[in-house]
Each structure stands twice: as structure tokens, then as C-alpha cells.
Amino acid sequence: GALPSEPVTIVLRYRGQEHEIEVEPGEGWELLKMQIFSMTEVPEEQQRLFGLGVACGPLDEAVALPRALAGGLRARRGSGLRLAG
């Protein structure tokens, strides 16, 4: 499928709260983790991200962020992120 090039809004779930994050696919994981830190105060090195259509286990950051987002968009339901940290 096509990889997103426009900003994508995803829902981050953490400790029972939901946060909306606008993700720029081209900016990569590091910036996304900074955004997550600013909302949750979970340090980047402690963030473990789940979801985006991946059935089990944490997300593999070796996968380019646009490809990970595309998987989440295809999955639709449950396509948000969950944070453990």
C-alpha cells in the first residue's frame, strides 16, 4: 500500500488516558518519542510502543516510521499506539 506522506493523527493510550498526536511520517521515531515524552513524561529510553496494527510484541523501530504508520492505517481498528514505560 501507499506510504503516508501527510501528517497522520494517531491516538496514544497510556495509563488509561488517550492523547492525540499528529505524526509527520518523514520525521522518524526520535521526534515521535520526543512528542510522547512531552505528553507523558516517560523518558524516550523507557518507552515501549505497541499497536499500529502489529498483533503482538513491541514495535520494531528498525521499520521506517512511514511503513509502520501505513500498517496502522490499514488495520484501522486498534491502529493507535499503546505506551508502556
Side-chain angles (χ1 to χ4, degrees), residues 60-80:
D60 180 0
E61 291 174 36
V63 173
L65 184 57
R67 188 167 299 284
L69 291 171
L73 292 171
R74 275 196 303 277
R76 286 287 178 218
R77 62 177 182 74
S79 65

Side-chain angles (χ1 to χ4, degrees), residues 3-81:
L3 300 181
S5 56
E6 299 294 313
V8 175
T9 300
I10 57 175
V11 176
L12 172 71
R13 293 175 188 84
Y14 177 62
R15 293 192 175 170
Q17 294 189 314
E18 293 192 347
H19 307 273
E20 280 200 350
I21 302 177
E22 189 171 274
V23 182
E24 290 276 357
E27 290 181 341
W29 291 103
E30 192 172 323
L31 198 71
L32 173 58
K33 288 188 150 203
M34 282 191 240
Q35 287 177 283
I36 291 171
F37 172 73
S38 72
M39 292 182 179
T40 64
E41 298 185 356
V42 176
E44 291 177 48
E45 62 275 7
Q46 292 177 22
Q47 293 177 20
R48 288 181 307 145
L49 300 173
F50 301 85
L52 291 182
V54 175
C56 61
L59 293 172
D60 180 0
E61 291 174 36
V63 173
L65 184 57
R67 188 167 299 284
L69 291 171
L73 292 171
R74 275 196 303 277
R76 286 287 178 218
R77 62 177 182 74
S79 65
L81 275 175

